[in-house]
Amino acid sequence: MDAHSRGRADEIDPADQWVLNPQTGNYELRLDRSAGQSPAQTPPRTRRASPAASAPAPAREPSEAPVPGQRRRRAPESASAGQVPPQSRRKRKQGASRKKKVLLWTGGTMAFVLVGGAAGAYAIYNKLNNNLDVVDVVGKDTNAGFAKGKAFNILVIGTDKRTGEGNAGYGDKNSPGHADTTILFHVSKDRTNATALSIPRDMKADIPECQSRQSDGTIKTIPAETDVRFNVSLGQDGRDPGCVMRTVQELTGVEVDHFMMADFNAVKEMTTAVGGVKVCVEKAVNDPKSHLKLPAGESVVKGEQALAFVRTRHSFGNESDLDRIKVQQQFLSSMIRQMKSDDTLTDPGKLYDLANAATSALTVDSGIGSLTKLQDLARELSSIDTKNIAFTTLPVIDNPAEKVRATVVPDPVKAPQLFAMIQSDTSLTEVKKKQQDAKNAQAALLKGTRATAAEVRVDVYNGSGVTGAAQSTINWLQNEQGVNRSTNKSNAPEKAAKTTLTYAPNQADQARALADMMGLPATALKPGTQDAGEREPMTLVLGADFKGAGMPITGPAKAPKDLEKVAADKQVCAK
């Protein structure tokens, strides 16, 4: 029913008040005189939200007791002076009681972020801001902004805790939940690409000691556990999302800046808000456990059917969680495309539903715990083309300690290589040609002949800030690599962010040899313009990226061989 048929101005749907101005490309307020308004009036009940208000995030119905950790509703925050805060807060409702463990998929959460701030132009700022749940991560400073020229990492977490109306058949009523779906989302420092790394829930991992704020406000210290399933890093023993952040950081060596967490209502509500998500299956599906029924080929799913699609374990591949992760990644890629499509971005009704559903589903850390902060995040992501968003899964192998293979462990070769790529901000996809050409020119420095270890002469300076780094490197070079003409020159004049090797043109073969030994990237090589004397050494300055003598300075230039990945712009059929 529209505003005209309702007849009262104070009952107009906020989404109906905004239209796209084809001359400016912006959404503008439509004041309908027939609804009792004049051009000078402000719509009743709400005040116009600032266009900078924010972007949407995935959906959550009212839920029962919070996922472990102190959850607080975001206090109303004015978008502008004089803004009226909401008069009430949403109450949580107890879910029904049927026990069934399911996957919570959080694709809608990240899909919301990738859309940017489109919905913020017309959304009711205070209402959406008050939808957010915020968790304070104990011992973690999450308040730093998104610095220009610096990569950042967000952990997207899904829990199988049953929350929200209409979910009586999902999850475990009495369980505090697990980290059933976890995606480490890395955004490059130049904002041209991103990597979404899925972490299997059944992978064995070490969970470090962590502190978690409990529902009564107290802080609980939870002891470390070794060789346990990754999914117990959330919920169990009172662990909150901060414990998942610490576990991922210890596992990957990647600093985790923020987290987002949602329940499986996000899938149902977000897919409904955008009018459905296109999926593709190679053969017809009829899974009685997830209740998924689809014909072969393409279909559009939303609501319960969308949730069934990402939950099913028995319809694709070898019915493992690893194959389900692939299906979830394909689904999320499609959802991102749909949310960035003209069908969504030019429809004010869809955008309003999307914003409301998204913020209702989202729990975040205090560093991004408001619409304005989420919009800052959206701005950082807005320039990334979907073809440069790569989804992949942490490389694993069957757990060799088990006779019945129920769990997996990180691949001892491929996993560290992939972690190193993320640490060194190396893209899994091709980026802009201009940037790629520059990288190719730098990479050419590593092409050519290599000197023998005995011919390499190098002075080593410590600019890493790590005590003894130069001497430990000298010891390794001389004792392990045979570079006997290496000298410890003590501390560099100042700390260095990156390790660099400066050399003369006639020392290029020595530079390549040393780069091979130390795992130096091409960008670390700094060739001079004048030849060096016969006994003149090169200069190696160890930077903050130094990880230890004998450890590669940075990650490989290419992803590990046979690493499965899919770009967000590709439609892939599940099989």
Side-chain angles (χ1 to χ4, degrees):
M1 183 179 294
D2 61 19
H4 297 281
S5 60
R6 283 195 295 263
R8 290 181 55 191
D10 64 349
E11 293 180 352
I12 297 176
D13 186 334
D16 293 337
Q17 301 177 45
W18 299 90
V19 294
L20 181 67
N21 186 332
Q23 295 180 340
T24 66
N26 297 324
Y27 284 97
E28 298 179 358
L29 186 65
R30 177 183 66 191
L31 300 178
D32 193 337
R33 295 174 185 269
S34 67
Q37 298 172 320
S38 68
Q41 287 177 321
T42 300
R45 299 185 64 186
T46 67
R47 300 181 69 88
R48 180 173 180 173
S50 166
S54 171
R60 171 173 42 233
E61 292 293 325
S63 58
E64 53 180 344
V67 171
Q70 178 71 17
R71 267 188 176 185
R72 55 184 173 81
R73 276 288 177 213
R74 185 70 191 177
E77 179 177 328
S78 294
S80 60
Q83 202 161 17
V84 180
Q87 299 301 311
S88 64
R89 293 185 176 183
R90 187 178 53 162
K91 294 182 179 180
R92 299 185 183 274
K93 296 181 181 179
Q94 228 24 44
S97 65
R98 192 169 134 209
K99 209 172 182 181
K100 189 172 183 182
K101 179 176 173 63
V102 299
L103 164 76
L104 164 68
W105 182 76
T106 59
T109 303
M110 187 52 66
F112 137 66
V113 174
L114 295 172
V115 169
Y122 65 86
I124 304 172
Y125 182 88
N126 276 345
K127 178 182 186 302
L128 299 182
N129 196 66
N130 200 40
N131 281 348
L132 290 168
D133 276 341
V134 180
V135 168
D136 294 318
V137 179
V138 180
K140 173 74 174 178
D141 181 11
T142 59
N143 292 317
F146 303 101
K148 184 177 180 180
K150 181 180 178 182
F152 64 90
N153 304 287
I154 296 178
L155 199 63
V156 182
I157 308 170
T159 172
D160 60 357
K161 179 180 175 64
R162 195 193 68 203
T163 59
E165 293 182 343
N167 292 317
Y170 310 131
D172 186 342
K173 176 183 177 182
N174 300 313
S175 171
H178 303 79
D180 249 22
T181 296
T182 306
I183 299 174
L184 177 61
F185 195 78
H186 170 81
V187 180
S188 69
K189 64 181 180 181
D190 61 7
R191 309 298 190 255
T192 64
N193 63 89
T195 298
L197 176 67
S198 294
I199 301 175
R201 64 180 186 177
D202 293 330
M203 183 187 69
K204 286 297 187 76
D206 294 337
I207 301 176
E209 177 182 286
C210 66
Q211 290 185 314
S212 174
R213 193 177 301 278
Q214 304 301 293
S215 57
D216 62 0
T218 61
I219 296 176
K220 178 181 179 181
T221 299
I222 302 138
E225 287 191 78
T226 59
D227 196 33
V228 295
R229 290 178 190 255
F230 174 83
N231 66 353
V232 303
S233 60
L234 176 71
Q236 308 305 300
D237 297 320
R239 293 187 177 98
D240 69 1
C243 296
V244 191
M245 294 174 70
R246 291 181 180 89
T247 302
V248 171
Q249 186 166 313
E250 184 167 292
L251 171 69
T252 64
V254 175
E255 178 79 20
V256 180
D257 301 295
H258 301 285
F259 82 85
M260 294 180 170
M261 182 171 67
D263 62 33
F264 45 70
N265 268 311
V267 178
K268 296 194 291 185
E269 300 298 332
M270 293 289 287
T271 54
T272 299
V274 298
V277 173
K278 184 184 294 185
V279 298
C280 179
V281 296
E282 287 196 352
K283 59 183 180 181
V285 174
N286 186 358
D287 180 10
K289 292 189 176 182
S290 67
H291 308 294
L292 178 65
K293 292 184 179 181
L294 289 176
E298 291 186 350
S299 299
V300 175
V301 297
K302 61 183 178 180
E304 293 286 351
Q305 195 178 31
L307 181 59
F309 183 82
V310 298
R311 287 182 57 233
T312 182
R313 290 188 62 166
H314 304 287
S315 301
F316 309 112
N318 61 7
E319 303 185 11
S320 71
D321 187 54
L322 295 177
D323 281 302
R324 178 162 54 176
I325 287 175
K326 295 177 186 178
V327 173
Q328 293 166 359
Q329 292 172 346
Q330 294 161 13
F331 181 87
L332 179 53
S333 296
S334 182
M335 190 169 186
I336 291 172
R337 294 194 299 273
Q338 176 62 28
M339 295 179 74
K340 292 174 76 76
S341 71
D342 289 342
D343 288 345
T344 299
L345 295 179
T346 61
D347 187 326
K350 283 185 180 180
L351 286 173
Y352 178 79
D353 290 344
L354 190 61
N356 189 46
T359 52
S360 297
L362 195 62
T363 298
V364 298
D365 62 81
S366 56
I368 52 175
S370 71
L371 288 179
T372 52
K373 291 177 181 178
L374 286 175
Q375 190 192 20
D376 289 342
L377 171 59
R379 286 197 192 98
E380 298 299 318
L381 300 169
S382 61
S383 63
I384 303 177
D385 195 307
T386 53
K387 69 181 180 181
N388 289 327
I389 302 172
F391 290 87
T392 190
T393 303
L394 193 158
V396 293
I397 59 174
D398 288 332
N399 188 347
E402 296 176 337
K403 292 182 178 179
V404 178
R405 302 297 169 82
T407 62
V408 294
V409 296
D411 186 303
V413 175
K414 294 181 180 179
Q417 290 177 339
L418 185 55
F419 298 157
M421 290 191 71
I422 296 175
Q423 293 165 11
S424 62
D425 199 32
T426 303
S427 176
L428 296 184
T429 64
E430 292 294 330
V431 292
K432 295 178 182 179
K433 187 177 187 300
K434 181 178 179 180
Q435 294 171 332
Q436 194 62 43
D437 287 346
K439 289 183 178 181
N440 289 341
Q442 189 70 30
L445 297 176
L446 290 173
K447 296 180 180 179
T449 59
R450 265 73 171 162
T452 65
E455 295 172 316
V456 174
R457 293 177 181 271
V458 62
D459 288 344
V460 181
Y461 291 83
N462 184 9
S464 69
V466 178
T467 302
Q471 187 57 52
S472 64
T473 298
I474 291 295
N475 294 341
W476 176 76
L477 284 173
Q478 293 181 352
N479 298 329
E480 302 293 334
Q481 302 298 313
V483 182
N484 295 320
R485 294 171 177 173
S486 52
T487 305
N488 180 0
K489 289 295 186 178
S490 192
N491 292 330
E494 58 185 19
K495 289 185 178 181
K498 298 288 185 180
T499 297
T500 58
L501 176 62
T502 304
Y503 61 96
N506 62 337
Q507 296 173 324
D509 56 347
Q510 296 182 48
R512 297 184 193 108
L514 188 61
D516 290 345
M517 297 175 199
M518 299 190 62
L520 295 176
T523 51
L525 273 58
K526 307 297 179 185
T529 56
Q530 295 182 344
D531 285 349
E534 183 179 355
R535 298 177 181 274
E536 188 175 346
M538 301 180 293
T539 299
L540 175 69
V541 179
L542 301 176
D545 52 358
F546 173 79
K547 301 179 180 67
M551 296 183 66
I553 295 296
T554 191
K558 294 184 178 180
K561 187 178 181 181
D562 301 326
L563 178 72
E564 293 189 19
K565 60 182 185 294
V566 60
D569 66 328
K570 303 296 183 185
Q571 175 71 60
V572 180
C573 290
K575 56 184 178 180

PDB file of all heavy atoms in Angstrom, residues 190-214:
ATOM      1  N   ASP A 190      46.630  -0.470  -1.646  1.00  0.00           N
ATOM      2  CA  ASP A 190      46.270   0.457  -2.711  1.00  0.00           C
ATOM      3  C   ASP A 190      44.797   0.367  -3.080  1.00  0.00           C
ATOM      4  O   ASP A 190      44.328   1.037  -3.999  1.00  0.00           O
ATOM      5  CB  ASP A 190      47.143   0.244  -3.954  1.00  0.00           C
ATOM      6  CG  ASP A 190      46.988  -1.156  -4.552  1.00  0.00           C
ATOM      7  OD1 ASP A 190      46.115  -1.930  -4.085  1.00  0.00           O
ATOM      8  OD2 ASP A 190      47.739  -1.479  -5.497  1.00  0.00           O
ATOM      9  N   ARG A 191      44.032  -0.490  -2.365  1.00  0.00           N
ATOM     10  CA  ARG A 191      42.584  -0.635  -2.530  1.00  0.00           C
ATOM     11  C   ARG A 191      42.182  -1.103  -3.935  1.00  0.00           C
ATOM     12  O   ARG A 191      41.068  -0.838  -4.382  1.00  0.00           O
ATOM     13  CB  ARG A 191      41.854   0.673  -2.209  1.00  0.00           C
ATOM     14  CG  ARG A 191      42.224   1.297  -0.874  1.00  0.00           C
ATOM     15  CD  ARG A 191      41.892   0.413   0.304  1.00  0.00           C
ATOM     16  NE  ARG A 191      42.044   1.113   1.569  1.00  0.00           N
ATOM     17  CZ  ARG A 191      43.050   0.949   2.420  1.00  0.00           C
ATOM     18  NH1 ARG A 191      44.017   0.062   2.150  1.00  0.00           N
ATOM     19  NH2 ARG A 191      43.101   1.622   3.549  1.00  0.00           N
ATOM     20  N   THR A 192      43.086  -1.808  -4.618  1.00  0.00           N
ATOM     21  CA  THR A 192      42.745  -2.325  -5.948  1.00  0.00           C
ATOM     22  C   THR A 192      42.261  -3.764  -5.897  1.00  0.00           C
ATOM     23  O   THR A 192      41.675  -4.251  -6.858  1.00  0.00           O
ATOM     24  CB  THR A 192      43.959  -2.270  -6.892  1.00  0.00           C
ATOM     25  OG1 THR A 192      44.990  -3.128  -6.394  1.00  0.00           O
ATOM     26  CG2 THR A 192      44.473  -0.852  -7.048  1.00  0.00           C
ATOM     27  N   ASN A 193      42.497  -4.483  -4.801  1.00  0.00           N
ATOM     28  CA  ASN A 193      42.142  -5.892  -4.750  1.00  0.00           C
ATOM     29  C   ASN A 193      41.902  -6.336  -3.313  1.00  0.00           C
ATOM     30  O   ASN A 193      42.257  -5.631  -2.363  1.00  0.00           O
ATOM     31  CB  ASN A 193      43.242  -6.750  -5.398  1.00  0.00           C
ATOM     32  CG  ASN A 193      44.558  -6.656  -4.654  1.00  0.00           C
ATOM     33  OD1 ASN A 193      44.820  -7.419  -3.724  1.00  0.00           O
ATOM     34  ND2 ASN A 193      45.411  -5.695  -5.041  1.00  0.00           N
ATOM     35  N   ALA A 194      41.287  -7.493  -3.188  1.00  0.00           N
ATOM     36  CA  ALA A 194      41.013  -8.057  -1.865  1.00  0.00           C
ATOM     37  C   ALA A 194      41.056  -9.577  -1.949  1.00  0.00           C
ATOM     38  O   ALA A 194      40.767 -10.161  -3.000  1.00  0.00           O
ATOM     39  CB  ALA A 194      39.651  -7.592  -1.352  1.00  0.00           C
ATOM     40  N   THR A 195      41.419 -10.204  -0.840  1.00  0.00           N
ATOM     41  CA  THR A 195      41.453 -11.662  -0.743  1.00  0.00           C
ATOM     42  C   THR A 195      40.547 -12.099   0.402  1.00  0.00           C
ATOM     43  O   THR A 195      40.671 -11.591   1.513  1.00  0.00           O
ATOM     44  CB  THR A 195      42.884 -12.171  -0.475  1.00  0.00           C
ATOM     45  OG1 THR A 195      43.724 -11.808  -1.580  1.00  0.00           O
ATOM     46  CG2 THR A 195      42.901 -13.683  -0.307  1.00  0.00           C
ATOM     47  N   ALA A 196      39.632 -13.018   0.127  1.00  0.00           N
ATOM     48  CA  ALA A 196      38.728 -13.563   1.141  1.00  0.00           C
ATOM     49  C   ALA A 196      39.149 -15.005   1.412  1.00  0.00           C
ATOM     50  O   ALA A 196      38.944 -15.883   0.573  1.00  0.00           O
ATOM     51  CB  ALA A 196      37.281 -13.493   0.672  1.00  0.00           C
ATOM     52  N   LEU A 197      39.748 -15.238   2.575  1.00  0.00           N
ATOM     53  CA  LEU A 197      40.295 -16.542   2.931  1.00  0.00           C
ATOM     54  C   LEU A 197      39.347 -17.260   3.884  1.00  0.00           C
ATOM     55  O   LEU A 197      39.173 -16.849   5.033  1.00  0.00           O
ATOM     56  CB  LEU A 197      41.671 -16.378   3.584  1.00  0.00           C
ATOM     57  CG  LEU A 197      42.328 -17.659   4.109  1.00  0.00           C
ATOM     58  CD1 LEU A 197      42.691 -18.591   2.953  1.00  0.00           C
ATOM     59  CD2 LEU A 197      43.568 -17.325   4.940  1.00  0.00           C
ATOM     60  N   SER A 198      38.735 -18.359   3.431  1.00  0.00           N
ATOM     61  CA  SER A 198      37.855 -19.165   4.274  1.00  0.00           C
ATOM     62  C   SER A 198      38.696 -20.108   5.140  1.00  0.00           C
ATOM     63  O   SER A 198      39.629 -20.744   4.641  1.00  0.00           O
ATOM     64  CB  SER A 198      36.890 -19.981   3.422  1.00  0.00           C
ATOM     65  OG  SER A 198      35.978 -19.148   2.730  1.00  0.00           O
ATOM     66  N   ILE A 199      38.345 -20.199   6.423  1.00  0.00           N
ATOM     67  CA  ILE A 199      39.065 -21.064   7.357  1.00  0.00           C
ATOM     68  C   ILE A 199      38.142 -22.215   7.752  1.00  0.00           C
ATOM     69  O   ILE A 199      37.076 -21.982   8.339  1.00  0.00           O
ATOM     70  CB  ILE A 199      39.511 -20.277   8.594  1.00  0.00           C
ATOM     71  CG1 ILE A 199      40.420 -19.108   8.172  1.00  0.00           C
ATOM     72  CG2 ILE A 199      40.225 -21.186   9.591  1.00  0.00           C
ATOM     73  CD1 ILE A 199      40.824 -18.203   9.305  1.00  0.00           C
ATOM     74  N   PRO A 200      38.487 -23.459   7.429  1.00  0.00           N
ATOM     75  CA  PRO A 200      37.606 -24.596   7.722  1.00  0.00           C
ATOM     76  C   PRO A 200      37.325 -24.736   9.211  1.00  0.00           C
ATOM     77  O   PRO A 200      38.236 -24.640  10.041  1.00  0.00           O
ATOM     78  CB  PRO A 200      38.396 -25.797   7.187  1.00  0.00           C
ATOM     79  CG  PRO A 200      39.321 -25.226   6.160  1.00  0.00           C
ATOM     80  CD  PRO A 200      39.688 -23.869   6.684  1.00  0.00           C
ATOM     81  N   ARG A 201      36.089 -24.983   9.542  1.00  0.00           N
ATOM     82  CA  ARG A 201      35.719 -25.091  10.953  1.00  0.00           C
ATOM     83  C   ARG A 201      36.271 -26.358  11.598  1.00  0.00           C
ATOM     84  O   ARG A 201      36.501 -26.395  12.805  1.00  0.00           O
ATOM     85  CB  ARG A 201      34.193 -25.078  11.090  1.00  0.00           C
ATOM     86  CG  ARG A 201      33.514 -26.265  10.439  1.00  0.00           C
ATOM     87  CD  ARG A 201      32.022 -26.215  10.603  1.00  0.00           C
ATOM     88  NE  ARG A 201      31.396 -27.431  10.092  1.00  0.00           N
ATOM     89  CZ  ARG A 201      30.098 -27.673  10.167  1.00  0.00           C
ATOM     90  NH1 ARG A 201      29.295 -26.800  10.728  1.00  0.00           N
ATOM     91  NH2 ARG A 201      29.603 -28.785   9.682  1.00  0.00           N
ATOM     92  N   ASP A 202      36.482 -27.420  10.796  1.00  0.00           N
ATOM     93  CA  ASP A 202      36.956 -28.696  11.332  1.00  0.00           C
ATOM     94  C   ASP A 202      38.474 -28.838  11.264  1.00  0.00           C
ATOM     95  O   ASP A 202      39.007 -29.936  11.380  1.00  0.00           O
ATOM     96  CB  ASP A 202      36.309 -29.861  10.583  1.00  0.00           C
ATOM     97  CG  ASP A 202      34.816 -29.945  10.847  1.00  0.00           C
ATOM     98  OD1 ASP A 202      34.392 -29.543  11.947  1.00  0.00           O
ATOM     99  OD2 ASP A 202      34.071 -30.402   9.962  1.00  0.00           O
ATOM    100  N   MET A 203      39.170 -27.736  11.087  1.00  0.00           N
ATOM    101  CA  MET A 203      40.631 -27.752  11.058  1.00  0.00           C
ATOM    102  C   MET A 203      41.171 -27.707  12.482  1.00  0.00           C
ATOM    103  O   MET A 203      40.688 -26.945  13.323  1.00  0.00           O
ATOM    104  CB  MET A 203      41.149 -26.555  10.264  1.00  0.00           C
ATOM    105  CG  MET A 203      42.657 -26.503  10.115  1.00  0.00           C
ATOM    106  SD  MET A 203      43.170 -24.951   9.346  1.00  0.00           S
ATOM    107  CE  MET A 203      42.795 -23.790  10.657  1.00  0.00           C
ATOM    108  N   LYS A 204      42.172 -28.534  12.776  1.00  0.00           N
ATOM    109  CA  LYS A 204      42.804 -28.501  14.085  1.00  0.00           C
ATOM    110  C   LYS A 204      43.694 -27.256  14.192  1.00  0.00           C
ATOM    111  O   LYS A 204      44.433 -26.915  13.265  1.00  0.00           O
ATOM    112  CB  LYS A 204      43.639 -29.766  14.312  1.00  0.00           C
ATOM    113  CG  LYS A 204      42.804 -31.008  14.580  1.00  0.00           C
ATOM    114  CD  LYS A 204      42.007 -30.845  15.878  1.00  0.00           C
ATOM    115  CE  LYS A 204      41.293 -32.113  16.288  1.00  0.00           C
ATOM    116  NZ  LYS A 204      42.202 -33.102  16.876  1.00  0.00           N
ATOM    117  N   ALA A 205      43.614 -26.584  15.344  1.00  0.00           N
ATOM    118  CA  ALA A 205      44.364 -25.354  15.539  1.00  0.00           C
ATOM    119  C   ALA A 205      44.690 -25.192  17.021  1.00  0.00           C
ATOM    120  O   ALA A 205      44.131 -25.880  17.878  1.00  0.00           O
ATOM    121  CB  ALA A 205      43.563 -24.152  15.046  1.00  0.00           C
ATOM    122  N   ASP A 206      45.602 -24.265  17.318  1.00  0.00           N
ATOM    123  CA  ASP A 206      45.908 -23.884  18.687  1.00  0.00           C
ATOM    124  C   ASP A 206      45.179 -22.585  18.987  1.00  0.00           C
ATOM    125  O   ASP A 206      45.288 -21.608  18.228  1.00  0.00           O
ATOM    126  CB  ASP A 206      47.415 -23.690  18.872  1.00  0.00           C
ATOM    127  CG  ASP A 206      48.192 -24.984  18.706  1.00  0.00           C
ATOM    128  OD1 ASP A 206      47.588 -26.061  18.888  1.00  0.00           O
ATOM    129  OD2 ASP A 206      49.391 -24.911  18.393  1.00  0.00           O
ATOM    130  N   ILE A 207      44.438 -22.569  20.089  1.00  0.00           N
ATOM    131  CA  ILE A 207      43.698 -21.373  20.477  1.00  0.00           C
ATOM    132  C   ILE A 207      44.449 -20.703  21.625  1.00  0.00           C
ATOM    133  O   ILE A 207      44.636 -21.308  22.680  1.00  0.00           O
ATOM    134  CB  ILE A 207      42.266 -21.723  20.898  1.00  0.00           C
ATOM    135  CG1 ILE A 207      41.545 -22.415  19.741  1.00  0.00           C
ATOM    136  CG2 ILE A 207      41.506 -20.469  21.327  1.00  0.00           C
ATOM    137  CD1 ILE A 207      40.159 -22.894  20.082  1.00  0.00           C
ATOM    138  N   PRO A 208      44.898 -19.480  21.431  1.00  0.00           N
ATOM    139  CA  PRO A 208      45.687 -18.818  22.487  1.00  0.00           C
ATOM    140  C   PRO A 208      44.820 -18.388  23.659  1.00  0.00           C
ATOM    141  O   PRO A 208      43.584 -18.314  23.564  1.00  0.00           O
ATOM    142  CB  PRO A 208      46.268 -17.605  21.760  1.00  0.00           C
ATOM    143  CG  PRO A 208      45.262 -17.299  20.691  1.00  0.00           C
ATOM    144  CD  PRO A 208      44.735 -18.634  20.245  1.00  0.00           C
ATOM    145  N   GLU A 209      45.458 -18.108  24.767  1.00  0.00           N
ATOM    146  CA  GLU A 209      44.742 -17.544  25.911  1.00  0.00           C
ATOM    147  C   GLU A 209      44.114 -16.214  25.490  1.00  0.00           C
ATOM    148  O   GLU A 209      44.711 -15.432  24.747  1.00  0.00           O
ATOM    149  CB  GLU A 209      45.712 -17.308  27.059  1.00  0.00           C
ATOM    150  CG  GLU A 209      45.080 -16.660  28.283  1.00  0.00           C
ATOM    151  CD  GLU A 209      46.081 -16.393  29.386  1.00  0.00           C
ATOM    152  OE1 GLU A 209      46.501 -17.372  30.048  1.00  0.00           O
ATOM    153  OE2 GLU A 209      46.467 -15.207  29.559  1.00  0.00           O
ATOM    154  N   CYS A 210      42.908 -15.977  25.950  1.00  0.00           N
ATOM    155  CA  CYS A 210      42.262 -14.714  25.595  1.00  0.00           C
ATOM    156  C   CYS A 210      41.368 -14.265  26.741  1.00  0.00           C
ATOM    157  O   CYS A 210      40.948 -15.064  27.576  1.00  0.00           O
ATOM    158  CB  CYS A 210      41.462 -14.839  24.303  1.00  0.00           C
ATOM    159  SG  CYS A 210      40.034 -15.938  24.419  1.00  0.00           S
ATOM    160  N   GLN A 211      41.094 -12.971  26.760  1.00  0.00           N
ATOM    161  CA  GLN A 211      40.176 -12.401  27.733  1.00  0.00           C
ATOM    162  C   GLN A 211      38.887 -12.028  27.023  1.00  0.00           C
ATOM    163  O   GLN A 211      38.903 -11.478  25.931  1.00  0.00           O
ATOM    164  CB  GLN A 211      40.792 -11.174  28.402  1.00  0.00           C
ATOM    165  CG  GLN A 211      41.949 -11.505  29.336  1.00  0.00           C
ATOM    166  CD  GLN A 211      42.444 -10.282  30.074  1.00  0.00           C
ATOM    167  OE1 GLN A 211      42.643  -9.230  29.478  1.00  0.00           O
ATOM    168  NE2 GLN A 211      42.632 -10.411  31.381  1.00  0.00           N
ATOM    169  N   SER A 212      37.781 -12.326  27.677  1.00  0.00           N
ATOM    170  CA  SER A 212      36.476 -12.100  27.070  1.00  0.00           C
ATOM    171  C   SER A 212      35.564 -11.414  28.068  1.00  0.00           C
ATOM    172  O   SER A 212      35.497 -11.819  29.234  1.00  0.00           O
ATOM    173  CB  SER A 212      35.869 -13.437  26.635  1.00  0.00           C
ATOM    174  OG  SER A 212      34.552 -13.264  26.164  1.00  0.00           O
ATOM    175  N   ARG A 213      34.870 -10.380  27.611  1.00  0.00           N
ATOM    176  CA  ARG A 213      33.930  -9.691  28.479  1.00  0.00           C
ATOM    177  C   ARG A 213      32.618 -10.467  28.506  1.00  0.00           C
ATOM    178  O   ARG A 213      31.994 -10.697  27.473  1.00  0.00           O
ATOM    179  CB  ARG A 213      33.686  -8.259  28.001  1.00  0.00           C
ATOM    180  CG  ARG A 213      32.962  -7.394  29.055  1.00  0.00           C
ATOM    181  CD  ARG A 213      32.806  -5.960  28.537  1.00  0.00           C
ATOM    182  NE  ARG A 213      34.080  -5.335  28.234  1.00  0.00           N
ATOM    183  CZ  ARG A 213      34.871  -4.770  29.135  1.00  0.00           C
ATOM    184  NH1 ARG A 213      34.531  -4.784  30.407  1.00  0.00           N
ATOM    185  NH2 ARG A 213      36.014  -4.218  28.767  1.00  0.00           N
ATOM    186  N   GLN A 214      32.185 -10.867  29.689  1.00  0.00           N
ATOM    187  CA  GLN A 214      30.994 -11.688  29.835  1.00  0.00           C
ATOM    188  C   GLN A 214      29.728 -10.831  29.870  1.00  0.00           C
ATOM    189  O   GLN A 214      29.783  -9.596  29.921  1.00  0.00           O
ATOM    190  CB  GLN A 214      31.105 -12.527  31.107  1.00  0.00           C
ATOM    191  CG  GLN A 214      32.366 -13.392  31.163  1.00  0.00           C
ATOM    192  CD  GLN A 214      32.461 -14.368  30.013  1.00  0.00           C
ATOM    193  OE1 GLN A 214      31.663 -15.299  29.918  1.00  0.00           O
ATOM    194  NE2 GLN A 214      33.436 -14.166  29.126  1.00  0.00           N
TER     195      GLN A 214
END
